[in-house]
Amino acid sequence: MLRLFRYNWQVRNEWFDWCENVSEEELLKKRTGGIGYILPTLYHIVAVEYGWICGGIQEKAIEIPSFGEVASLRQVRELSERCHAELAPFVYDWNDSLEDRIMIDITDEGEREAHAYGEVMRHLIAHEIHHAGQLSIWSRELGRQPVTANFVGRGLFDN
Amino acid sequence: MLRLFRYNWQVRNEWFDWCENVSEEELLKKRTGGIGYILPTLYHIVAVEYGWICGGIQEKAIEIPSFGEVASLRQVRELSERCHAELAPFVYDWNDSLEDRIMIDITDEGEREAHAYGEVMRHLIAHEIHHAGQLSIWSRELGRQPVTANFVGRGLFDN
């Protein structure tokens, strides 16, 4: 489980680096599909991971700023780092006994849904990879080489 | 591990269903990014999973048809089903003792690269989700609702 989170965190930071060479106008330009914009996609990835782990599983009273409150590359990256620092210990301490523990999610429609922790964790893994795949299309539309999605070759099995 | 493979297999079949309502012309139209075409993306996902597991890890003498040999939705779907039937037992029998076993990959450049089985398996998980994310953008370009990428809500933790 941890290794796919580490993969996503590594890829996410490479997307932030990629953004450094793209104008703010392009980062905030409306595009087709997904979240519809590059920088809000990265914000969304961060907010969803933090919301499910710290808000949902850990039941902390968290506050997630709206995108409008952090609408620059520097601020979204800082938000990612803050959220990561808070949620990473849970991921590093993950063990199989947590798989089937149950958390209750309140959906946007106000309904209560039960999810196993292991289900939530895999949802987050797939969620970030999915959105990074979308970024890769928009990257090519900009004529830029996307961040590689390869898991092999990242040294994620060296320790 | 198995659960993320089952997720991908379920999502892949939903993309095949999605393709049923799209013209062959659109499935084979050049697009920006990724593999550059919808149906060849699905072919690529199938070929890569089969190549790494049956050819790479299991060291079977496999033959993967070129896309040109299976260039219709029906044929790619049949290829997916044949490859799945052959590789799924390995995934279902997966256990943690296989994580660090080493396989040797011969790259397109003819170089030998060592990979842990666990590294290859996570590579395949991320690979398919990544390309499905790209399909979701092209789906919106066609004005169609994409297959949901949600892991939660698929009943993947019910058994």
Side-chain angles (χ1 to χ4, degrees):
Chain A
M1 195 73 87
L2 172 60
R3 280 161 162 163
L4 281 164
F5 272 89
R6 286 181 57 220
Y7 162 82
N8 269 333
W9 297 335
Q10 200 177 90
V11 170
R12 188 194 308 171
N13 279 329
E14 289 168 20
W15 277 111
F16 281 129
D17 291 342
W18 177 96
C19 287
E20 297 286 356
N21 298 308
V22 175
S23 70
E24 191 160 87
E25 189 189 342
E26 291 288 1
L27 296 181
L28 296 173
K29 187 176 152 188
K30 180 81 181 88
R31 298 174 196 282
T32 301
I35 299 296
Y37 306 84
I38 293 172
L39 192 58
T41 297
L42 288 162
Y43 162 83
H44 172 72
I45 288 168
V46 170
V48 165
E49 183 181 70
Y50 181 61
W52 277 101
I53 293 182
C54 292
I57 290 179
Q58 298 189 313
E59 295 182 33
K60 291 186 195 173
I62 60 168
E63 275 190 44
I64 304 177
S66 69
F67 178 73
E69 293 173 278
V70 293
S72 71
L73 175 56
R74 183 182 59 75
Q75 286 172 295
V76 175
R77 194 165 195 158
E78 283 173 6
L79 177 68
S80 177
E81 284 164 9
R82 282 202 307 280
C83 291
H84 176 78
E86 197 175 331
L87 67 84
F90 177 80
V91 181
Y92 279 104
D93 288 345
W94 179 264
N95 65 76
D96 289 349
S97 76
L98 298 174
E99 283 282 6
D100 296 316
R101 245 189 243 188
I102 298 295
M103 56 87 70
I104 303 295
D105 178 43
I106 312 292
T107 68
D108 292 344
E109 293 76 32
E111 284 172 27
R112 294 164 62 87
E113 279 185 357
H115 298 291
Y117 285 14
E119 190 179 13
V120 170
M121 296 295 270
R122 286 172 185 81
H123 180 71
L124 295 174
I125 288 166
H127 182 260
E128 180 149 359
I129 301 171
H130 174 77
H131 283 297
Q134 298 178 325
L135 292 177
S136 75
I137 296 286
W138 295 337
S139 171
R140 290 292 185 195
E141 286 175 3
L142 284 166
R144 290 179 178 273
Q145 180 157 341
V147 171
T148 176
N150 281 347
F151 185 94
V152 296
R154 291 182 169 275
L156 291 167
F157 258 70
D158 296 350
N159 49 47
Chain B
M1 194 73 87
L2 172 60
R3 281 161 163 163
L4 281 164
F5 272 88
R6 286 180 56 221
Y7 162 82
N8 268 333
W9 296 335
Q10 199 178 92
V11 170
R12 188 193 307 171
N13 279 330
E14 289 169 19
W15 277 110
F16 281 128
D17 291 343
W18 178 96
C19 288
E20 297 285 354
N21 298 306
V22 175
S23 70
E24 191 160 87
E25 187 188 344
E26 290 290 359
L27 295 180
L28 296 173
K29 186 175 151 188
K30 179 82 180 89
R31 298 173 198 283
T32 301
I35 299 295
Y37 307 83
I38 293 172
L39 192 58
T41 297
L42 288 161
Y43 162 83
H44 172 72
I45 288 168
V46 171
V48 165
E49 185 180 69
Y50 182 60
W52 277 101
I53 292 182
C54 292
I57 289 178
Q58 298 188 313
E59 296 182 32
K60 292 186 193 171
I62 60 168
E63 274 190 45
I64 305 177
S66 68
F67 178 73
E69 293 173 277
V70 292
S72 72
L73 174 57
R74 184 182 58 76
Q75 286 172 295
V76 174
R77 193 165 196 158
E78 282 173 6
L79 177 69
S80 177
E81 283 162 11
R82 281 202 306 280
C83 291
H84 176 77
E86 196 174 332
L87 67 84
F90 177 80
V91 181
Y92 280 104
D93 288 344
W94 179 264
N95 65 75
D96 289 350
S97 76
L98 298 173
E99 283 281 6
D100 296 315
R101 245 190 243 189
I102 299 296
M103 56 86 70
I104 303 295
D105 178 44
I106 312 292
T107 68
D108 293 342
E109 293 76 32
E111 285 173 26
R112 292 166 63 86
E113 279 185 359
H115 296 292
Y117 285 14
E119 191 179 13
V120 171
M121 297 295 269
R122 287 173 185 80
H123 180 71
L124 295 174
I125 289 167
H127 182 259
E128 180 151 0
I129 302 170
H130 174 77
H131 283 297
Q134 297 177 327
L135 292 177
S136 75
I137 296 287
W138 294 338
S139 170
R140 289 292 184 196
E141 285 174 3
L142 285 167
R144 290 180 178 271
Q145 181 157 339
V147 171
T148 177
N150 281 347
F151 184 95
V152 296
R154 290 183 170 275
L156 292 166
F157 258 70
D158 297 349
N159 51 46

